[in-house]
Amino acid sequence: MKIICHMISSVDGRLYPSRWGSPQEPADITTLYEGVAKRFPAQGWIVGRTTMSDYCDEVKEGDPAPLRDADAPQSPAFVGNREGRPIAVAIDPKGKLLPEINALPTGEHLVLVLGARVAESHLEKLRAAGVSYVFEGEGGSNREKLAPALKALEDLFGAKTLLLEGGGIINGAFLTAGLIDEISVIVYPGLDALFGSAAIFGVKAQENQLPGAGAHLKLLDNETLEGGAVWLHYNVKND
């Protein structure tokens, strides 16, 4: 599976458009972002739990789901009634999301990536709502957790390419797992400038650690867009 991290940021790499200064020339953020996204032949997209709950009012966030006993067998993945729709994947290892629908208002079928020990009682609620789910791997590293989930998404949903469109934490998890194949960034002509404001990648690490050093970029394409925004498209070679 190919993972393309597709994002739009301010000139200083920040993620919250409500904080950005306005450009001298008009440029609609949504039009810019979705216009470039359509260039990629993806079967869906991936975000984190918080982004999904913010994106859709019918996907509410609650308390963590109960866990099954360690000696209880793990339930299999579940495929709801997709009806040929693209998929919208939310990484939700603690089972906090409680969707009321199985298709988003924008048309995508909802798929959750859950922790391996989420209890059957929570899975029953998801099945009743027609929401699909797969499971993370049980290893300790981001790659050991995410790679099995991506394989399940490919095997069960035919997803060959997915757009990673999360916040800094989930994007950082994929980056440190070595699972990002390409990066597509639209640099919007505005500034945030607040110290510590969320960026495209946000890996919690010590100052002497270099979480991005293992990803080596090669420019594939660049283009000036409406209003002076700039699109940068990179191939990623991971160590």
Side-chain angles (χ1 to χ4, degrees):
M1 178 188 290
K2 177 185 285 188
I3 298 294
I4 303 172
C5 184
H6 176 56
M7 303 295 294
I8 187 167
S9 78
S10 60
V11 170
D12 49 343
R14 309 301 181 169
L15 293 186
Y16 298 144
S18 61
R19 295 189 47 81
W20 303 345
S22 59
Q24 295 183 29
E25 300 177 24
D28 182 74
I29 292 171
T30 301
T31 300
L32 290 171
Y33 184 78
E34 297 297 341
V36 172
K38 291 177 181 177
R39 303 184 186 192
F40 299 110
Q43 290 76 52
W45 42 270
I46 305 176
V47 295
R49 179 195 72 245
T50 301
T51 300
M52 182 61 77
S53 63
D54 289 343
Y55 181 76
C56 180
D57 291 339
E58 288 81 13
V59 184
K60 295 180 173 59
E61 184 175 353
D63 295 327
L67 302 179
R68 64 177 171 82
D69 294 336
D71 58 350
Q74 180 179 342
S75 298
F78 173 73
V79 179
N81 189 9
R82 180 184 178 187
E83 298 181 342
R85 296 185 292 259
I87 59 175
V89 182
I91 308 295
D92 183 25
K94 294 184 179 180
K96 287 188 173 184
L97 293 179
L98 299 169
E100 300 172 357
I101 55 175
N102 67 7
L104 303 182
T106 45
E108 299 89 349
H109 176 64
L110 182 60
V111 184
L112 302 184
V113 176
L114 303 171
R117 289 193 58 201
V118 168
E120 179 65 23
S121 60
H122 185 72
L123 303 181
E124 288 176 356
K125 295 176 183 178
L126 298 178
R127 292 195 297 269
V131 175
S132 298
Y133 55 80
V134 300
F135 295 98
E136 285 186 340
E138 294 193 74
S141 71
N142 286 329
R143 187 175 187 88
E144 289 171 320
K145 292 177 181 178
L146 292 171
L150 296 182
K151 186 177 188 308
L153 293 172
E154 183 170 3
D155 292 345
L156 296 175
F157 299 93
K160 301 296 184 183
T161 300
L162 291 175
L163 300 183
L164 175 62
E165 302 178 316
I169 292 176
I170 195 67
N171 291 348
F174 274 80
L175 180 72
T176 57
L179 293 173
I180 296 177
D181 300 289
E182 296 179 13
I183 296 174
S184 165
V185 178
I186 301 166
V187 181
Y188 184 82
L191 293 169
D192 181 327
L194 179 68
F195 177 80
S197 185
I200 296 174
F201 298 101
V203 178
K204 294 181 180 180
Q206 300 298 318
E207 288 189 9
N208 62 342
Q209 295 178 296
L210 304 172
H216 308 282
L217 309 187
K218 179 180 179 180
L219 185 65
L220 297 175
D221 201 358
N222 66 93
E223 183 178 333
T224 301
L225 305 175
E226 181 182 1
V230 177
W231 175 51
L232 302 172
H233 183 201
Y234 296 94
N235 172 263
V236 183
K237 182 180 178 181
N238 296 291
D239 287 344

